[in-house]
C-alpha cells in the first residue's frame, strides 16, 4: 500500500514538526525583542530630550540669577544684592518643597460615614419616599372637624 503525498509536499515538513514548539517560541521571542528594542529606542530619545530641557533650564536659571544679582548691585553693594538673591532663591525652594509635600499627602476623597446602620460607606444617598397621606378633613372655625355629610 502506497500513500500518495499531496502536491508541493516536501520532506522538510517531516523534520520540522518535532521542532515546531521550539521554532515557534524562538519566533515569538524575536518578535518581542524587536518590539521592546523599538520602544526603548523611542524612550531613550524622550529621556535625552528631557535631560536637554533640564540642562537648558538650569543654565537659564543661573543666567537669570546673575542678571538679578547685577541689576540689584547697581543700586546696592554687591554683598547686599547677593544676600537678597540668595534669600529669594531659598524662599522659592521652601515654597516648592512645601507644595510637593502637600500634594504628596493629599488623599483621595474619603467616603462619608454611613447615615443609617447597615448602609455601606459611600453608598448613594436615596431621598426618603413618603407614601401619599390621606387628605385631612376640612376643619371648622374653632379647629374642629367640619362635618360635610349633611
Amino acid at each position: 500500500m502506497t500513500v500518495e503525498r499531496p502536491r508541493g509536499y516536501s520532506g522538510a515538513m517531516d523534520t520540522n514538526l518535532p521542532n515546531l514548539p521550539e521554532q515557534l517560541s524562538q519566533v515569538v521571542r524575536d518578535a518581542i525583542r524587536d518590539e521592546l528594542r523599538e520602544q526603548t529606542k523611542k524612550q531613550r530619545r524622550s529621556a535625552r530630550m528631557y535631560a536637554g530641557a533640564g540642562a537648558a533650564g538650569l543654565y537659564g536659571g543661573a543666567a537669570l540669577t546673575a542678571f538679578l544679582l547685577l541689576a540689584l548691585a547697581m543700586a546696592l553693594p554687591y554683598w547686599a544684592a547677593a544676600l537678597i538673591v540668595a534669600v529669594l532663591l531659598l524662599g522659592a525652594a521652601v515654597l516648592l518643597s512645601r507644595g510637593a509635600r502637600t500634594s504628596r499627602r493629599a488623599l483621595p476623597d474619603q467616603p462619608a460615614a454611613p447615615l443609617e446602620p447597615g448602609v455601606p460607606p459611600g453608598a448613594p444617598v436615596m431621598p426618603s419616599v413618603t407614601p401619599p397621606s390621606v387628605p385631612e378633613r376640612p376643619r371648622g372655625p374653632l379647629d374642629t372637624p367640619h362635618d360635610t355629610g349633611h
Side-chain angles (χ1 to χ4, degrees), residues 55-116:
L58 182 66
Y59 286 122
L64 185 62
T65 302
F67 166 76
L68 185 59
L69 184 66
L70 292 174
L72 286 173
M74 291 184 349
L76 301 169
Y78 288 119
W79 64 268
L83 182 64
I84 290 172
V85 171
V87 168
L88 289 175
L89 289 174
L90 290 174
V94 168
L95 290 177
L96 289 173
S97 68
R98 283 186 184 167
R101 201 173 303 135
T102 57
S103 68
R104 189 177 64 207
R105 285 187 192 163
L107 298 175
D109 293 338
Q110 297 294 326
L115 300 175
E116 298 177 17

Side-chain angles (χ1 to χ4, degrees), residues 17-37:
L17 285 179
N19 298 332
L20 186 62
E22 290 140 10
Q23 290 173 349
L24 185 60
S25 66
Q26 183 63 38
V27 167
V28 169
R29 261 189 255 125
D30 291 343
I32 290 173
R33 188 179 305 122
D34 291 342
E35 182 64 28
L36 288 175
R37 190 173 292 139

Side-chain angles (χ1 to χ4, degrees), residues 114-132:
L115 300 175
E116 298 177 17
V119 177
V125 178
M126 301 294 290
S128 62
V129 178
T130 56

Side-chain angles (χ1 to χ4, degrees), residues 38-50:
E38 184 65 30
Q39 286 180 3
T40 55
K41 187 185 298 182
K42 290 177 185 175
Q43 290 173 349
R44 278 189 300 231
R45 184 177 185 279
S46 294
R48 283 192 296 262
M49 297 295 272
Y50 279 121

